[in-house]
Structures are given as C-alpha cells and as structure tokens.
Amino acid sequence: MKAVIYFVFKDSEENYIEDIQKQLTYDVKQFIITDVINPSKSIYTKIENIFYFKDMTSCLNNASDILNYLEMFNYKQVLLLNPNKSYDSNQLIFKDVSTVKEEFSVVNNIL
C-alpha cells in the first residue's frame, strides 16, 4: 500500500493540497502531520488521519514514529509533501518506507 503524508504548519500561507490531490490518480491513503489545532475540514476531506503535535519541531521529530505506525499496517511506499509547494506529476515519486525512516533518523539527529 502507498501513503502520502502532508506536513501542514500553522505559519504556512499557501496550501496546494487540493491541487496535489488531483494529481494522485492511483489509490493511496493520505495523512497529515500538523501543528494546526483546527484545520479546515473542506480541504481535508480525502485525508485518512490527522496527526497533531504541539509545534513544528515535534512534528518532524515524531514523523519516524508515524512511519513506523504506517509500516505496521503494511504500507510499503510513502511520499512526503509540503502542501505549500506545488508539484508536477513527475515530482510525485514514492520511496520505500525504510528509506524514508533512515532519512528521518538523520534529521532527528540534527534537530
């Protein structure tokens, strides 16, 4: 199974989630990691689950735990996206969950 994870932070101005969702023609589950207390419900109708943390640093630090959670439920590939950026279809490339977990272990060591 494939998962898309959006990082949504309260200091963000732009939001291209709807544009990104239109490009996802395949069957994927979508998740949000956020520090926004009450996100707009209209934008997030296709979202499977929203993971809330108190600030941006906590969101990034706990991303590896969420990847472990997804891996427990047989998600094999993941795509991490910043909804403040627009993407074209050739930029939407899924990576193996274990590869992304390794990348986040490096980020967590820096933070």
Side-chain angles (χ1 to χ4, degrees):
M1 291 181 19
K2 294 182 179 182
V4 174
I5 301 175
Y6 302 100
F7 287 95
V8 178
F9 302 116
K10 59 185 161 199
D11 60 351
S12 305
E13 294 180 13
E14 299 290 330
N15 191 323
Y16 295 103
I17 286 182
E18 290 179 355
D19 295 335
I20 295 168
Q21 288 175 334
K22 290 176 186 174
Q23 294 182 46
L24 298 173
T25 57
Y26 28 81
D27 185 33
V28 297
K29 301 290 183 179
Q30 299 177 52
F31 302 89
I32 291 179
I33 298 175
T34 187
D35 63 350
V36 177
I37 294 174
N38 291 318
S40 170
K41 301 295 184 223
S42 63
I43 294 175
Y44 307 116
T45 56
K46 296 180 182 178
I47 302 300
E48 187 78 16
N49 199 349
I50 298 174
F51 300 98
Y52 171 78
F53 298 99
K54 64 180 180 174
D55 57 29
M56 184 187 304
T57 304
S58 297
C59 290
L60 296 173
N61 285 338
N62 289 303
S64 60
D65 293 332
I66 293 170
L67 291 169
N68 287 333
Y69 168 81
L70 293 175
E71 198 170 38
M72 283 186 341
F73 290 99
N74 294 322
Y75 286 89
K76 302 293 183 205
Q77 294 182 317
V78 67
L79 178 61
L80 304 178
L81 296 176
N82 176 357
N84 300 337
K85 180 182 172 194
S86 64
Y87 295 89
D88 58 26
S89 57
N90 59 350
Q91 292 176 306
L92 301 176
I93 300 170
F94 286 88
K95 291 184 178 180
D96 187 58
V97 173
S98 60
T99 303
V100 176
K101 283 173 34 180
E102 289 173 14
E103 291 171 357
F104 260 98
S105 66
V106 172
V107 170
N108 286 337
N109 288 334
I110 294 171
L111 294 176

